[in-house]
Amino acid sequence: MGTDMKGYEVAYKGRVYPALEMHMFWEGSRQREEGGTGFMPAPTFLDVLVINEDGEPRIINDETHMFRFMRIKTKGEAHEHN
C-alpha cells in the first residue's frame, strides 16, 4: 500500500495529472545517511498512480526529480499574500 495522494496534482513532463497514490523506492539500501542526521535518504524512484486525460488510471514510474506535487486548493481556502 502506498501513500494516499488524493488532494494533490502532479506535474510530469509538461502535463498535470490528479494524483491518487505514490510508492517510493530506494536504490541500494534504506540505511540512514552518514553523519548521524537521523533522516532517511530521499527515495530514488517514484511510482505515481494518476488519472490521465482520458480518465483512465495510469502508473508513472521515474526518478523523483521528474515530479512536482501541488496541493489542490479547495473553495474557501485562504489565498496567500506576499
Side-chain angles (χ1 to χ4, degrees), residues 65-81:
H65 67 88
M66 296 296 295
F67 298 93
R68 293 292 175 257
F69 293 92
M70 301 154 288
R71 192 164 63 91
I72 299 171
K73 292 187 177 184
T74 59
K75 283 186 176 181
E77 244 182 319
H79 295 286
E80 293 182 26
H81 297 284

Side-chain angles (χ1 to χ4, degrees), residues 13-78:
K13 291 189 175 181
R15 294 183 182 226
V16 177
Y17 304 96
L20 299 177
E21 191 173 283
M22 174 179 66
H23 294 261
M24 298 176 277
F25 299 94
W26 286 262
E27 201 171 89
S29 72
R30 292 179 58 172
Q31 294 178 356
R32 297 190 188 278
E33 291 181 346
E34 292 182 26
T37 62
F39 292 102
M40 288 186 63
T44 312
F45 290 92
L46 297 176
D47 276 355
V48 182
L49 176 61
V50 301
I51 301 295
N52 71 7
E53 50 277 329
D54 295 325
E56 301 167 333
R58 292 288 184 251
I59 293 176
I60 302 172
N61 172 272
D62 210 337
E63 295 179 80
T64 54
H65 67 88
M66 296 296 295
F67 298 93
R68 293 292 175 257
F69 293 92
M70 301 154 288
R71 192 164 63 91
I72 299 171
K73 292 187 177 184
T74 59
K75 283 186 176 181
E77 244 182 319

